[in-house]
Amino acid sequence: MLSVEELNEKLLDLAFSEDIGEGDHTTLCCIPVDAMGESLLLIKQEGIFAGVEIAKQVLHRFDSELKVEVFIQDGTPVKPGDIVLSVKGREQSLLQTERLLLNILQRMSGIATMTHKYQQALIDAGTKTRVLDTRKTTPGMRMLEKEAVRIGGGMNHRIGLFDMILLKDNHIDFCGGVHNAISRAKQYCKDSDKDLKIECEVRDFKELDEALAEGCDRIMFDNFTPEDTKKAIELVGGRCETESSGGITFDNMIPYAKAGVDFISFGALTHSVKCLDMSLKAAGSDKLTIK
């Protein structure tokens, strides 16, 4: 399996290829090859910044001589007018990395901002429930998007299909029920000598009873009401972790958390996020002031 760094490098190679192609003719036609300059990353909207390390990777992968100075670290609240970092070097390099850098940082910061909003609301409500992400991520950007969730104060569910067993509705239906699904998962781990956590989704109390009888590490309550969630957690009685999912939004999540569930998973953190507004401006530009 490729490391996070190797996966990000492959993503950057593809991203530069699709954006620059045979060459950035706009930059090449008007910027001398030896012209040197500085760009500043300007925040234009309140939120949580995320992406310092990948920003360095983007810049240095394209031009190892670019010099980056960071003023604001990941997880820091930002406001319009804040300068996150500066980049000094060849103006051609600054221009050719601009869009990819912004695309990644805006998305990561948007995810971190949304995650922080959700998790802080659960804390303010006096609950211990943690926010989880899902696999509903942008193809190729999963590692970055899940890192943004962590920066925003949330927790990652599984990274992919390889690091945890999650028995969902289709698995259960194909297996002929919860009992069969969990027992096969346990046998698979034993036969393949794999130490994987097993989570099982349940859609009603009958399936919950089966999951509790068979035993697993976590039970996911799918589309339960807050009232049924409270009842389900009482039935679980601390025998395993609990998670709520399905139809839960920022506006209705508090009753689920107050029911005592350990985790609430939100696909919206990555599939419906709004990017945080920011721009990369030439140092000295009169556009650096936010009005």
Side-chain angles (χ1 to χ4, degrees):
M1 177 183 165
L2 296 176
S3 67
V4 173
E5 292 74 17
E6 289 170 330
L7 286 169
N8 288 344
E9 286 175 1
K10 284 183 173 291
L11 169 65
L12 297 185
D13 286 342
L14 175 61
F16 278 128
S17 178
E18 73 178 359
D19 196 34
I20 297 175
E22 66 175 6
D24 174 10
H25 299 305
T26 308
T27 294
L28 296 176
C29 78
C30 62
I31 305 297
V33 68
D34 58 351
M36 306 296 283
E38 178 184 8
S39 291
L40 303 174
L41 184 65
L42 174 69
I43 298 297
K44 302 169 72 175
Q45 183 181 3
E46 285 190 6
I48 303 296
F49 180 77
V52 163
E53 294 307 315
I54 190 64
K56 295 176 184 176
Q57 194 173 349
V58 168
L59 295 164
H60 292 152
R61 187 161 184 78
F62 188 81
D63 183 346
S64 62
E65 294 184 3
L66 289 174
K67 299 188 183 305
V68 183
E69 185 176 3
V70 177
F71 308 118
I72 295 176
Q73 297 294 333
D74 285 343
T76 303
V78 291
K79 63 184 184 303
D82 284 347
I83 303 296
V84 172
L85 57 81
S86 71
V87 192
K88 297 179 181 178
R90 295 182 182 87
E91 291 178 355
Q92 286 192 354
S93 296
L94 298 178
L95 289 165
Q96 290 178 92
T97 55
E98 176 184 331
R99 178 43 51 198
L100 176 56
L101 185 70
L102 288 173
N103 285 349
I104 292 175
L105 296 183
Q106 286 180 306
R107 184 160 184 81
M108 287 186 69
S109 297
I111 291 170
T113 299
M114 188 172 183
T115 303
H116 176 79
K117 175 184 175 182
Y118 279 51
Q119 187 62 67
Q120 191 60 51
L122 293 176
I123 294 171
D124 291 344
T127 78
K128 296 181 179 179
T129 304
R130 296 301 305 273
V131 170
L132 289 181
D133 55 22
T134 70
R135 286 170 49 243
K136 297 175 183 177
T137 54
T138 307
M141 288 192 67
R142 178 170 298 173
M143 297 303 183
L144 297 179
E145 293 182 349
K146 283 183 172 284
E147 174 64 17
V149 168
R150 291 194 297 271
I151 291 170
M155 294 179 65
N156 295 148
H157 203 283
R158 53 182 180 167
I159 298 299
L161 297 173
F162 53 85
D163 60 338
M164 182 179 180
I165 292 176
L166 173 51
L167 302 166
K168 293 183 66 66
D169 52 356
N170 284 334
H171 300 95
I172 292 166
D173 290 341
F174 281 137
C175 284
V178 167
H179 170 79
N180 289 344
I182 296 178
S183 61
R184 290 179 188 178
K186 289 181 175 180
Q187 190 63 47
Y188 171 82
C189 289
K190 181 179 179 181
D191 293 344
S192 57
D193 193 28
K194 293 186 181 299
D195 183 20
L196 296 171
K197 281 194 172 184
I198 299 173
E199 177 173 6
C200 184
E201 177 181 275
V202 299
R203 294 164 285 189
D204 52 41
F205 286 98
K206 178 179 180 297
E207 290 188 340
L208 174 58
D209 288 339
E210 289 184 55
L212 289 172
E214 187 63 34
C216 58
D217 297 293
R218 185 185 300 174
I219 294 177
M220 177 193 293
F221 310 127
D222 180 44
N223 284 299
F224 278 40
T225 64
E227 294 75 21
D228 282 347
T229 300
K230 183 177 181 180
K231 179 181 176 182
I233 289 169
E234 291 172 351
L235 290 171
V236 171
R239 283 177 278 178
C240 65
E241 295 177 334
T242 57
E243 176 184 342
S244 288
S245 182
I248 304 176
T249 67
F250 179 81
D251 294 328
N252 68 8
M253 67 181 182
I254 300 300
Y256 288 91
K258 288 190 173 182
V261 71
D262 295 313
F263 305 101
I264 302 177
S265 51
F266 299 93
L269 295 179
T270 50
H271 72 56
S272 299
V273 69
K274 180 181 179 182
C275 291
L276 192 72
D277 195 10
M278 61 186 74
S279 59
L280 200 65
K281 294 293 185 183
S285 169
D286 60 3
K287 303 299 183 182
L288 280 173
T289 301
I290 304 295
K291 299 178 180 179

